[in-house]
């Protein structure tokens, strides 16, 4: 047997059933001999077809070749490519809820074919074509009524507890999962939930009871079987609980931006016209909309079938956009919660298991509208630093620059010392011309704002 030649994905090392690797530019998954009978049952029992038909499980093609040259090889799969890999700590509560419900629906369908899920984590789900999609084809295990559902605790720690904490504390799920990327233990969740939550029977059953057992050092469910009826009741109960989460009704400063806080509808319309004109100069297939707010301009970007990633630090804005893309069946916008001044860092074992946001992003065009003044003045990021940052991620760039006399910039300066001498139109252009050719520059009529279209040098 020749030496292994695979380029394994760093985070794919935990499951002996197989692993994910790169074959040139293609992402492939290897099925190992140890998982052969379960994989064959998945494919031959009708379960794979049923899940793929519902767009619940990523479809794949089989390649009858040992591309890795490993002795444990059984099959090579080529899954349908996912445009962008995101993580649960970049999602809103409604996205995490939808991913959790999908996991439960797959569990129920798998049981009809004699299988269950051995893993129940958001890392097995990606948002693809506007929907959550289960991507771990090797997560299916035999269903044995004499044994407990081994992934129950993982499901609670990574789906249910973050959503309950968001519901009862108002602190969004991405904060909880940034602090606890592999899940929140029951004892921690119980200590953070308010006293009144104990009176919810579901919360008591899934959080406080396991936490009490854990504090006493007991292993509550090990060795206790789950009959089919008991398992189905559990799945139904968990789904019912999840469907009551992910709905934060309170608005935020930015969630009503386009209705209440922008400079006016005339400004918005004029900006949209210029934006469309600048867009006609690019044939970009992919776009990253930074500071997307509720996705007004992300939707324009998506009109030409571009794959669009829309990010904003305000989870209410992203929650709204996720709801709208679902309602209108917009398949090519991926909304994500992201603070540009503190983007998702690399994480996991050796900092290679989950790459940083900017290690994952590859896009033809970046848009940054009504954003630069927040980064330059609120975050104190100098214009040369911003220009270098955009150069690192943006082959093409549409960016808005409001002058210091702009009404919103003056608001940012109202309660602080103006130390931003270089924050001028000339200073902006001087900083960006080091890295970009300015192709077009259009002043928005009636404002002190200018839209630029630039290309990386």
């Amino acid at each position: 047997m020749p030496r292994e030649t695979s380029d394994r994905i760093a985070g794919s090392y935990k499951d002996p059933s197989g692993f994910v690797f790169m074959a040139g530019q293609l992402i492939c998954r290897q099925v190992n001999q140890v998982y052969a009978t379960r994989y064959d049952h998945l494919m031959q029992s009708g379960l794979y077809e049923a899940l793929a038909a519902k767009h619940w499980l990523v479809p794949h093609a089989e390649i009858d070749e040992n591309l890795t040259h490993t002795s444990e090889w059984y099959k090579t799969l080529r899954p349908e490519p996912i445009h962008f890999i995101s993580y649960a700590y970049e999602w809103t509560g409604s996205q995490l809820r939808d991913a959790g419900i999908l996991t439960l629906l797959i569990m129920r369908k798998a049981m009809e074919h004699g299988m269950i899920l051995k893993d129940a984590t958001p890392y097995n789900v990606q948002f693809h074509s506007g929907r959550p999609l289960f991507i771990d084809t090797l997560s299916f295990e035999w269903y044995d009524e004499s044994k407990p559902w081994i992934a129950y605790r993982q499901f609670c720690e990574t789906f249910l507890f973050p959503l309950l904490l968001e519901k009862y504390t108002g602190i969004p799920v991405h904060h909880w999962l940034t602090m606890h990327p592999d899940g929140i233990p029951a004892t921690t969740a119980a200590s953070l939930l308010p006293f009144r939550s104990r009176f919810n029977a579901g919360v008591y059953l899934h959080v406080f009871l396991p936490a009490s057992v854990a504090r006493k050092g007991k292993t509550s469910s090990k060795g206790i079987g789950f009959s089919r009826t008991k398992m189905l009741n559990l799945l139904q109960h968990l789904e019912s609980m999840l469907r009551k989460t992910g709905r934060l009704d309170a608005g935020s400063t930015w969630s009503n931006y386009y209705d209440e806080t922008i400079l006016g509808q005339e400004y918005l319309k004029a900006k949209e016209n210029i934006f469309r004109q600048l867009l006609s100069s690019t044939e970009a297939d992919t776009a990253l909309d930074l500071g997307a707010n509720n996705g007004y301009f992300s939707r324009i970007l998506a009109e030409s079938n571009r794959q669009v990633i829309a990010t904003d630090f305000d989870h209410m804005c992203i929650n709204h956009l996720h709801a709208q893309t679902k309602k209108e069946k917009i398949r090519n916008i991926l909304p994500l919660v992201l603070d540009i001044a503190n983007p998702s860092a690399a994480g996991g074992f050796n900092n290679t298991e989950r790459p940083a946001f900017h290690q994952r992003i590859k896009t033809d065009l970046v848009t940054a509208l009504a954003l630069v003044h927040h980064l330059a003045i609120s975050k104190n990021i100098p214009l040369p630093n911003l220009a270098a940052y955009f150069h690192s991620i943006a082959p093409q760039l549409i960016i808005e620059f409001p002058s210091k006399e702009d009404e919103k910039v003056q608001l940012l300066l109202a309660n602080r010392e103006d130390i931003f001498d270089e924050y001028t139109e000339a200073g902006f252009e001087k900083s960006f011309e080091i890295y970009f050719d300015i192709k077009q520059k259009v002043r928005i009529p009636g404002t002190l704002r200018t839209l630029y279209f630039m290309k990386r040098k």
Side-chain angles (χ1 to χ4, degrees):
M1 177 66 66
R3 185 174 62 87
E4 177 181 343
T5 57
S6 68
D7 181 11
R8 297 195 188 203
I9 299 296
S12 184
Y13 65 90
K14 294 182 178 177
D15 188 351
S17 300
F19 57 89
V20 181
F21 66 98
M22 296 297 298
Q25 297 299 311
L26 295 177
I27 289 184
C28 295
R29 183 184 291 275
Q30 175 160 306
V31 184
N32 287 337
Q33 289 283 347
V34 70
Y35 193 72
T37 55
R38 284 163 288 181
Y39 175 75
D40 287 345
H41 185 81
L42 168 72
M43 300 304 294
Q44 295 165 11
S45 66
L47 177 55
Y48 170 81
E49 283 186 0
L51 296 175
K54 288 179 174 292
H55 303 287
W56 288 355
L57 175 65
V58 63
H60 67 254
E62 289 187 5
I63 301 174
D64 192 22
E65 183 179 357
N66 184 355
L67 296 177
T68 65
H69 300 110
T70 50
S71 57
E72 64 265 33
W73 177 82
Y74 176 65
K75 295 275 187 184
T76 301
L77 312 183
R78 182 163 59 80
E80 183 174 301
I82 306 294
H83 170 56
F84 183 75
I85 298 297
S86 60
Y87 300 124
Y89 45 78
E90 297 166 336
W91 299 348
T92 65
S94 58
Q95 288 173 300
L96 184 66
R97 175 201 62 204
D98 291 352
I101 289 173
L102 173 72
T103 302
L104 296 173
L105 292 175
I106 289 174
M107 264 289 290
R108 203 175 294 171
K109 181 59 68 177
M111 287 177 64
E112 294 174 11
H113 296 79
M115 303 193 92
I116 58 171
L117 292 175
K118 62 183 176 184
D119 305 302
T121 161
Y123 296 110
N124 286 345
V125 180
Q126 288 295 318
F127 282 87
H128 179 60
S129 298
R131 291 179 285 230
L133 181 70
F134 199 83
I135 61 167
D136 189 0
T137 308
L138 309 190
S139 188
F140 296 89
E141 185 57 88
W142 304 120
Y143 174 49
D144 183 345
E145 294 192 38
S146 68
K147 297 180 180 177
W149 180 29
I150 198 68
Y152 163 71
R153 188 177 75 174
Q154 187 181 42
F155 182 88
C156 290
E157 292 180 347
T158 56
F159 285 109
L160 182 63
F161 297 168
L163 285 164
L164 289 175
L165 284 167
E166 178 183 82
K167 177 180 178 178
Y168 282 99
T169 69
I171 299 173
V173 294
H174 68 273
H175 285 298
W176 296 114
L177 288 174
T178 298
M179 290 186 287
H180 300 276
D182 294 323
I184 305 168
T187 50
T188 304
S191 67
L192 293 168
L193 284 167
F195 183 75
R196 63 187 168 86
S197 66
R198 292 170 180 264
F199 300 105
N200 180 301
V203 176
Y204 181 80
L205 177 65
H206 297 294
V207 183
F208 289 100
L209 188 58
S212 175
V213 171
R215 287 193 190 100
K216 293 173 183 174
K218 296 180 180 178
T219 52
S220 60
S221 60
K222 195 169 185 179
I224 300 175
F226 258 53
S227 70
R228 185 172 297 274
T229 300
K230 189 176 177 181
M231 179 72 88
L232 289 174
N233 287 340
L234 172 67
L235 298 177
Q236 185 176 23
H237 186 229
L238 289 171
E239 183 181 338
S240 172
M241 291 187 72
L242 258 59
R243 289 195 182 279
K244 295 172 184 171
T245 64
R247 300 174 188 158
L248 290 180
D249 297 326
S252 68
T253 302
W254 303 103
S255 59
N256 296 319
Y257 179 72
Y258 287 113
D259 297 324
E260 299 173 1
T261 53
I262 59 167
L263 299 174
Q265 290 303 310
E266 286 185 14
Y267 153 76
L268 183 61
K269 194 62 188 174
K271 182 168 153 181
E272 178 182 335
N273 290 337
I274 298 167
F275 185 71
R276 288 182 182 279
Q277 174 200 326
L278 299 182
L279 267 186
S280 67
S281 301
T282 174
E283 295 179 349
D285 294 324
T286 58
L288 168 64
D289 189 10
L290 295 173
N293 196 269
N294 67 6
Y296 185 95
F297 287 92
S298 307
R299 294 159 67 104
I300 296 172
L301 284 166
E303 287 174 2
S304 301
N305 290 323
R306 289 186 187 87
Q307 291 294 329
V308 179
I309 300 171
T311 71
D312 202 286
F313 80 100
D314 189 310
H315 68 105
M316 291 300 297
C317 291
I318 296 301
N319 221 31
H320 174 79
L321 180 57
H322 175 59
Q324 289 301 113
T325 55
K326 280 177 61 179
K327 181 179 178 183
E328 299 174 30
K329 294 184 170 49
I330 300 173
R331 304 296 189 200
N332 56 335
I333 295 180
L334 172 62
L336 294 177
V337 180
L338 183 81
D339 181 352
I340 302 163
N342 188 26
S344 309
F349 177 66
N350 199 25
N351 284 123
T352 58
E353 202 171 326
R354 294 180 292 274
F357 179 81
H358 287 304
Q359 290 175 296
R360 284 172 276 143
I361 192 73
K362 289 181 176 60
T363 186
D364 300 327
L365 171 70
V366 171
T367 60
L369 306 180
L371 180 65
V372 164
H373 53 308
H374 293 288
L375 298 175
I377 294 176
S378 299
K379 301 291 185 181
N380 282 42
I381 303 174
L383 289 174
N385 296 51
L386 286 176
Y389 162 72
F390 281 111
H391 173 261
S392 70
I393 62 168
Q396 300 176 65
L397 175 65
I398 295 178
I399 189 167
E400 180 178 5
F401 181 77
S403 74
K404 191 178 281 188
E405 293 73 29
D406 177 87
E407 174 187 328
K408 298 299 182 186
V409 179
Q410 284 297 305
L411 274 177
L412 296 179
L413 291 168
N415 296 312
R416 61 176 304 171
E417 181 185 358
D418 183 357
I419 58 172
F420 308 101
D421 293 339
E422 294 185 356
Y423 187 89
T424 63
E425 188 169 301
F428 172 81
E429 292 181 4
K430 181 182 175 184
S431 299
F432 277 74
E433 280 178 331
I434 296 172
Y435 303 101
F436 292 93
D437 291 320
I438 297 177
K439 296 296 184 181
Q440 294 185 67
K441 168 186 174 182
V442 185
R443 177 64 59 90
I444 303 174
T447 75
L448 297 167
R449 297 180 170 216
T450 304
L451 284 184
Y452 292 84
F453 174 52
M454 306 182 184
K455 287 190 176 182
R456 184 192 283 158
K457 284 185 175 176

